[in-house]
Amino acid sequence: MTTEDPLHAVLFDMDGTLVDTEGLWWEAVEQVAGRPLTEADRPDVLGRPVEHTAAWLASAGGGPPAASPGASGRPSAAELASALHREFADRVGAGVAPRPGALALLTALARDGVPAALVTASPRSVADTVLQALGALGAPEFAVSVTADDTERTKPEPDPYLAACRALGVDPARCVAVEDTPTGVASAEAAGCTVLAVPSVAPIGAAPRRTVLDGLTEVTPERLRAMAGGHLTVMSWNLWLGGAPVDDHRSKQLTAIRASGADVVGLQETAGTATRELAEALGWHHHQAGGNLGLLSRHPIVARLGDPDVGFYGAAGARVLVDGAHEVDVWTAHLPCSPYGPYEAAFDGLPADALVAHEEERLAQLRDALRRIAEEAGAERPVVLVGDFNAPSHLDRPDVAWPVTRAAEEAGLRDAYREAHPDPVREPGHTWSPVHPVHPEDGVRAGLPEPQDRIDYVLHNARGLRVLASRTLVAGAPSPWPDVAGNAWPSDHAAVVTAFALGR
């Protein structure tokens, strides 16, 4: 591997990916549970650490009666974990079979000088047994191995993959993780890795920066190089007063960002501290502008753009260095919320010309942002502009020439969501509002159906940027206002997440 190689390392799951142990684990759990497992048991058995499955068995009353002296009733989770370790290790020690193509791929990577790491939710004792068995079959030595014993949290959290990348001294964005379960895929993607999924039991769908294959027999280092690097996933998210209306909002924000697969997040309504606190928890770079706007980036920020003391409404940007090779300017914007065109159209029946006239303040702010963006970027630099514009799109509502989004289009910016989903009837992409099915304010409009609309955007200038996929994101089924404190989704907006290919 050279410094110019887009593939810095390949990180392999073990059970079900490199070796055919899923069946052995299933047998071990059945033995300890004292009953046959069913399809309904899969989420708590496959791709989970031993401790999770043991706790699940304990809560379900699984396993034989406790045998320790003086014990009564069913075994504890700790006793079940010990039994699971023992049963699984016995089966692994009797012999494991490599998955088809695994040894050939490991050998080819070693020949090309690409480091390989093992990242598993199995304990160290089991991992070392498997590594010894693979070595006896001629597999090259792994540069690093990370097990359930080596991190405080294991899959589906990103910690194991991040630990492997730190040990190798590589950027997760330039690594490919090879996984066979949804749990493992979630862990690798949360860490920022590109994923090659080879499902062994549970199905795994395709997604940005994720390739799904039936197995490893046709996988080569060249194919993995083509997958690695050269991607950027950007998220736009209004945090809703920093998240304050929802309990435990900071933890829920972190969960959402990790699950999104985003590399850069443009934030609005940060309440002053959210950008820094989220960045510190993620271990990312950040730029806070004024008290309302912020940018998070897993890639280094090499320049901060725009007014650092911007007011509640306006725009701010940062230049991020992706894979050490691509500089991209990413801006976040928040435009005034009043007067709100969808209300004036739905509740007041204003005609198109009046609706357009009432967009003047937002239009002026966006044009000022577009001028700053153009000055900073020059003629060639890739630009992404995200934000809560508080205005509908002319691409969604052709009966009104909504001027804010038209101004962005005239400045050369493309709407990534509409590129990916050209039909606004089939894919409306509403971002306002997952918690307001009816109008939330008092007065004559109280209780009327809330206009659902797309007012949050990811725009780009197509200079070395190609849209791979774009989607809206909401976790769970949020309860409507005012009963929002317990919602898993800590915002009154849906987020927008777009994956780009860079330099092609």
Side-chain angles (χ1 to χ4, degrees):
M1 181 187 74
T2 67
T3 55
E4 293 79 21
D5 194 332
L7 180 63
H8 284 186
V10 182
L11 316 174
F12 289 91
D13 174 54
M14 185 177 76
D15 303 312
T17 302
L18 284 177
V19 290
D20 193 6
T21 56
E22 296 290 9
L24 301 181
W25 174 242
W26 192 264
E27 291 174 5
V29 177
E30 284 188 324
Q31 178 66 31
V32 174
R35 64 170 177 84
L37 298 177
T38 68
E39 191 70 25
D41 298 322
R42 290 189 186 279
D44 291 296
V45 175
L46 297 182
R48 293 288 190 173
V50 173
E51 289 71 21
H52 175 94
T53 302
W56 166 72
L57 285 174
S59 67
S68 56
S72 61
R74 313 306 299 181
S76 67
E79 290 171 323
L80 289 167
S82 295
L84 288 169
H85 279 305
R86 183 174 58 254
E87 292 290 340
F88 185 53
D90 287 347
R91 286 166 172 77
V92 170
V96 295
R99 297 277 287 178
L103 292 180
L105 178 57
L106 290 171
T107 300
L109 290 169
R111 179 199 63 215
D112 286 7
V114 178
L118 189 75
V119 182
T120 177
S122 291
R124 172 61 63 184
S125 58
V126 173
D128 286 347
T129 301
V130 172
L131 288 171
Q132 185 177 7
L134 287 173
L137 294 170
E141 187 174 349
F142 286 89
V144 168
S145 62
V146 177
T147 74
D149 300 335
D150 300 322
T151 57
E152 183 176 347
R153 302 180 304 175
T154 188
K155 303 175 186 180
E157 299 298 332
D159 304 37
Y161 279 101
L162 292 174
C165 291
R166 283 194 298 269
L168 291 169
V170 297
D171 181 354
R174 302 289 289 273
C175 298
V176 175
V178 187
E179 276 283 356
D180 75 309
T181 66
T183 303
V185 167
S187 174
E189 290 182 342
C193 302
T194 296
V195 169
L196 170 60
V198 285
S200 60
V201 180
I204 299 172
R209 296 189 65 183
R210 184 194 307 167
T211 300
V212 183
L213 298 176
D214 292 335
L216 298 175
T217 54
E218 302 299 323
V219 180
T220 63
E222 290 70 28
R223 185 164 190 173
L224 295 175
R225 284 190 179 90
M227 294 171 55
H231 299 89
L232 182 70
T233 298
V234 181
M235 176 177 177
S236 180
W237 198 13
N238 183 310
L239 295 182
W240 193 14
L241 305 175
V246 177
D247 294 340
D248 195 23
H249 53 271
R250 193 70 79 236
S251 174
K252 293 172 181 177
Q253 290 164 352
L254 289 167
T255 297
I257 291 170
R258 287 171 175 144
S260 75
D263 302 303
V264 180
V265 185
L267 300 172
Q268 308 89 43
E269 294 196 30
T270 64
T273 62
T275 306
R276 174 182 55 79
E277 291 173 3
L278 289 168
E280 289 175 352
L282 291 164
W284 288 14
H285 309 272
H286 75 283
H287 171 44
Q288 175 74 41
N292 181 50
L293 296 173
L295 286 150
L296 306 170
S297 176
R298 76 166 80 242
H299 299 294
I301 292 176
V302 296
R304 287 166 171 79
L305 313 173
D307 181 2
D309 299 315
V310 63
F312 189 84
Y313 294 117
R319 183 164 297 154
V320 298
L321 180 61
V322 183
D323 299 340
H326 304 276
E327 287 189 350
V328 182
D329 287 0
V330 183
W331 289 72
T332 180
H334 194 193
L335 303 183
C337 64
S338 180
Y340 187 51
Y343 289 170
E344 295 185 316
F347 299 145
D348 304 333
L350 292 189
D353 58 347
L355 294 171
V356 170
H358 287 183
E359 293 293 317
E360 289 181 357
E361 183 180 5
R362 274 186 288 272
L363 181 58
Q365 286 214 357
L366 182 68
R367 282 178 169 161
D368 180 66
L370 292 171
R371 176 185 58 79
R372 290 172 178 263
I373 290 169
E375 290 174 352
E376 295 279 9
E380 301 298 330
R381 194 180 308 280
V383 170
V384 179
L385 169 62
V386 311
D388 170 12
F389 289 4
N390 276 308
S393 171
H394 67 290
L395 299 176
D396 300 350
R397 295 172 165 229
D399 55 323
V400 178
W402 298 101
V404 171
T405 54
R406 285 175 64 91
E409 183 177 82
E410 290 165 359
L413 297 182
R414 302 181 182 182
D415 185 328
Y417 186 86
R418 231 5 112 220
E419 278 191 73
H421 309 283
D423 187 344
V425 176
R426 181 177 298 177
E427 298 285 353
H430 294 154
T431 60
W432 178 268
S433 165
V435 301
H436 293 307
V438 299
H439 191 61
E441 300 170 9
D442 295 330
V444 296
R445 299 173 176 176
L448 293 176
E450 178 74 358
Q452 300 296 306
D453 226 308
R454 189 170 71 99
I455 61 173
D456 300 82
Y457 301 95
V458 176
L459 311 179
H460 70 103
N461 67 355
R463 295 174 187 161
L465 295 166
R466 178 170 58 86
V467 175
L468 297 174
S470 188
R471 63 190 173 108
T472 58
L473 176 64
V474 175
S479 296
W481 176 265
D483 301 318
V484 299
N487 282 348
W489 185 249
S491 178
D492 56 351
H493 286 246
V496 186
V497 183
T498 299
F500 295 99
L502 297 177
R504 51 180 115 168

